[in-house]
Each structure stands twice: as structure tokens, then as C-alpha cells.
Amino acid sequence: MDPPFNEIYKNLLYKQITNTQNNVPQIPFSFSVTVAVEEVELPVIDVSCLIDGAEKEREKCKEEIARASREWGFFQVINHGISMDVLEKMRQEQIRVFREPFDKKSKSERFSVGSYRWGTPSATCLRQLSWSEAFHVPMTDISYNKDFTTLSSTMEKFASESETLAYTLAEILAEKSGRKSNFFKEKCVRNTCYLRMNRYPPCPKPSEVYGLMPHTDSDFLTILYQDQVGGLQLIKDNRWIAVKPNPCALIINIGDLFQAWSNGVYKSVEHRVMTNPTVERFSTAYFLCPSYDAIIECSGDCPAYRNFSFREFRQQVQEDVKKLGYKVGLPRFINHLC
């Protein structure tokens, strides 16, 4: 069932590797593994009033969403319109798929070639290794999948309802930052938005290996449904904090593109997933992304970032990961003329 982590990464797991070696790039400070961090509950926002609340209640909710996006870059939503039945079915189907033998998963024809991913092929040291496996599934794969299995129907339900929620939140954030709210329905298309089903197997070296390396998301916003195992951590006030799981909530986080588009008003916050020595962890995330040719135009009289296309941003991220072993992201696009 598990990918062959121990076999493929045995040199990293069982031999001491230091950054003094010429072939290992310098690792950012935030990549140091810290186990003991404070567990906190993210801001919790009841979004039901956006549908059936009075105008005053709707405005209060919108402001709470904008404030959390400015101050935290992460928040939780409850009464979000996606039923617990759909979420539980999504979890069950995800577990069933990941329980399949590794050879079957890695050659699965359910989705596009390359959808199944595991580990970190570019890793040159333990801190660059992600102890996880995932199915990275474009929305178009879900829409056009006509095999009518329980998995495909469940994914379609989860994806379409996540998509609706994502547009709602994005339009609110656009409104609260003074931008056009119709941008997302015009520019964010199904062939670039995607679901990612994640599994984090038990890890023999949880104090040294991440489930998912520290990173920011290369999208506008992410909707995450996770189990109750825990392990998600983020940076708040220059320190790592652990997110306390909430069984009734979905986690929302701001991506790099929203930070640039809002001229830094909303924060794309670095986060990571820690491993567990005995328990596996599951999560499913929806990523709201624009078309590859969409231009991310920073707002304001003094834009912090230069204009760039989503295609250019993705290519730069891929080049940095290949060359350095980690993502640089928005600092590559700072506007030095302002």
C-alpha cells in the first residue's frame, strides 16, 4: 500500500547529510523541523448568513472573512453548504483509493497521466522530503470522467460545491479590497482548478521529515477538508503554530495570487504538514486557479508586485524547485520600480 519511501530515500533517511556538501543548497530557516509548537484554533466564521441573513449580518460576515484574510491568511468556515454526508463519503472513497497496492495506484487510469504523486523527486536532504502521496486531479478530469463509480460521483459533488464556495469567498474578498468581483468567474476556469487528495503515511523519523514541506499555495485560495489527526501548521507572528482540527469546519487559506492581486492586503502564509510515527492522515483540497494566460495585476498606485501571468508564475516556481529544492514564489515578482 505505502509508496517505497524507505527503499528510494534510504540514503537520506539513514545517512547523515549536511548543508556543507556542495550538492545541497542552503535551506531557508523556516524549513527547520520544530515538533513542540502551540496548538491554536483558527478564526471560525459562520457563512450561513451570506445566504439567508439580513444585510447587516451579511456585511459583518464579509468583514470577518476579509479581516481573517488580512491578519491570518487562514480561517475556518462552518455552515458552508457542503454536507457532512458528502465530506464523509469523500473521506471514505479517498481511503479506499489509497489502500490499493502501490503499483496499482501509480499506474491508475482513473485520471490523467501523472496525477498520482509521492515523495519529493528533487530532494537532496531530509528537510526537502515530503512523506506523503497524493492524487492531483484537474477539475476537467472529474467533469469528463463518465465511469459513474462512487469515487467519481463523490468527487464531482465535493468539487462542484467547493467551487461554488470558492467563488463566493473570492468575490467577497475582491469586493472588500476594492477590486472587481467578476474577475474570478471570468478568469478561473475548470482546466486549471483542481482537487488534491492527500495521504500522509506513518513516518519512522517524524522529528526529521515533513509530511509536506513548508510552502505557500500557488493559487488564489484553497479549501481544505482534513481528518482529526492533526499535523497542519502555519506561521503566525513569526512563529509556527499548530492548527487544532475542527470536525465541523473547512479550512480556507489565501494563495500567492490573491496576495499579489490585492497588493499584499491579503496574506499568503507559509504552512506545512508534520508527520506522525503511528497514525496516517488524510485530507482533500480544492485549489482556485486562473487560466494560464490570465494576468495577475497588482492593485494600487504603488504595486508591490509587477504584472505576471499564471503560466509565468508556475514556470518560475518549477524552475526554483528543480534548481534549489524549494519554492521561492512571490519574492521573484517584486516590483523594484515602486
Side-chain angles (χ1 to χ4, degrees):
M1 180 180 72
D2 286 351
F5 288 105
N6 286 294
E7 177 184 346
I8 300 301
Y9 297 109
K10 61 184 176 182
N11 288 338
L12 300 185
L13 288 167
Y14 304 111
K15 292 183 181 179
Q16 184 65 31
I17 298 180
T18 68
N19 283 346
T20 58
Q21 291 178 275
N22 292 331
N23 66 329
V24 180
Q26 186 63 38
I27 309 298
F29 173 74
S30 63
F31 278 42
S32 58
V33 179
T34 305
V35 177
V37 296
E38 179 187 2
E39 185 179 61
V40 302
E41 187 167 40
L42 296 176
V44 179
I45 302 172
D46 184 344
V47 294
S48 61
C49 62
L50 294 174
I51 299 173
D52 52 19
E55 182 177 354
K56 187 175 181 180
E57 292 176 319
R58 292 198 302 271
E59 286 305 310
K60 180 176 180 291
C61 182
K62 290 179 180 180
E63 182 50 45
E64 288 177 351
I65 291 168
R67 185 185 307 113
S69 299
R70 292 191 302 265
E71 297 177 0
W72 284 79
F74 270 78
F75 58 95
Q76 299 176 102
V77 293
I78 57 174
N79 298 319
H80 38 67
I82 305 178
S83 72
M84 289 305 298
D85 180 58
V86 169
L87 295 177
E88 179 57 25
K89 283 182 179 177
M90 186 70 239
R91 188 183 72 86
Q92 291 174 355
E93 287 300 310
Q94 179 181 8
I95 291 173
R96 185 175 62 81
V97 169
F98 281 117
R99 287 279 188 271
E100 292 179 347
F102 172 72
D103 287 344
K104 184 176 180 179
K105 286 185 290 190
S106 60
K107 298 173 184 176
S108 175
E109 297 181 355
R110 290 187 183 91
F111 312 113
S112 301
V113 175
S115 292
Y116 178 73
R117 305 169 184 187
W118 68 279
T120 310
S122 60
T124 56
C125 65
L126 281 182
R127 286 184 294 173
Q128 293 176 350
L129 174 59
S130 289
W131 197 271
S132 56
E133 58 179 331
F135 282 97
H136 178 112
V137 188
M139 291 285 282
T140 46
D141 276 18
I142 302 170
S143 301
Y144 299 151
N145 189 331
K146 300 304 181 184
D147 62 4
F148 300 108
T149 63
T150 307
L151 173 63
S152 62
S153 60
T154 302
M155 289 183 70
E156 171 61 34
K157 185 72 171 174
F158 177 85
S160 61
E161 293 184 1
S162 296
E163 182 179 55
T164 299
L165 177 61
Y167 281 136
T168 298
L169 296 173
E171 289 166 2
I172 288 170
L173 291 170
E175 174 190 328
K176 288 299 179 180
S177 64
R179 303 296 300 271
K180 291 183 178 179
S181 61
N182 62 348
F183 173 88
F184 300 97
K185 287 189 175 176
E186 292 177 358
K187 301 296 184 181
C188 294
V189 293
R190 279 208 152 197
N191 66 329
T192 49
C193 298
Y194 62 96
L195 286 188
R196 185 178 173 99
M197 298 187 293
N198 305 296
R199 174 179 176 260
Y200 302 90
C203 177
K205 293 196 173 187
S207 64
E208 300 177 56
V209 182
Y210 293 114
L212 197 60
M213 286 170 54
H215 67 286
T216 55
D217 287 352
S218 301
D219 63 351
F220 273 106
L221 60 80
T222 306
I223 297 175
L224 177 73
Y225 171 59
Q226 63 169 353
D227 61 21
Q228 300 307 297
V229 172
L232 176 63
Q233 298 182 353
L234 60 92
I235 288 182
K236 180 73 167 75
D237 299 327
N238 296 314
R239 63 190 179 95
W240 285 104
I241 59 173
V243 175
K244 184 178 181 180
N246 183 333
C248 299
L250 296 174
I251 293 176
I252 314 296
N253 68 277
I254 301 299
D256 297 336
L257 304 186
F258 229 136
Q259 176 168 319
W261 196 70
S262 68
N263 199 18
V265 171
Y266 303 129
K267 307 302 181 186
S268 180
V269 173
E270 195 170 26
H271 52 286
R272 65 189 185 185
V273 177
M274 307 305 288
T275 52
N276 188 296
T278 58
V279 183
E280 60 186 347
R281 176 182 182 268
F282 293 91
S283 68
T284 301
Y286 166 88
F287 296 84
L288 180 67
C289 302
S291 65
Y292 292 127
D293 294 327
I295 301 299
I296 310 304
E297 186 175 354
C298 190
S299 62
D301 297 330
C302 186
Y305 306 97
R306 65 173 178 83
N307 294 351
F308 56 88
S309 70
F310 184 42
R311 186 188 310 278
E312 181 185 3
F313 187 81
R314 278 171 48 88
Q315 289 174 344
Q316 183 63 63
V317 168
Q318 290 166 359
E319 288 174 12
D320 285 334
V321 170
K322 184 176 181 179
K323 181 179 179 181
L324 304 175
Y326 59 88
K327 169 186 170 180
V328 177
L330 283 178
R332 294 290 195 197
F333 298 88
I334 289 175
N335 179 16
H336 296 289
L337 300 179
C338 187

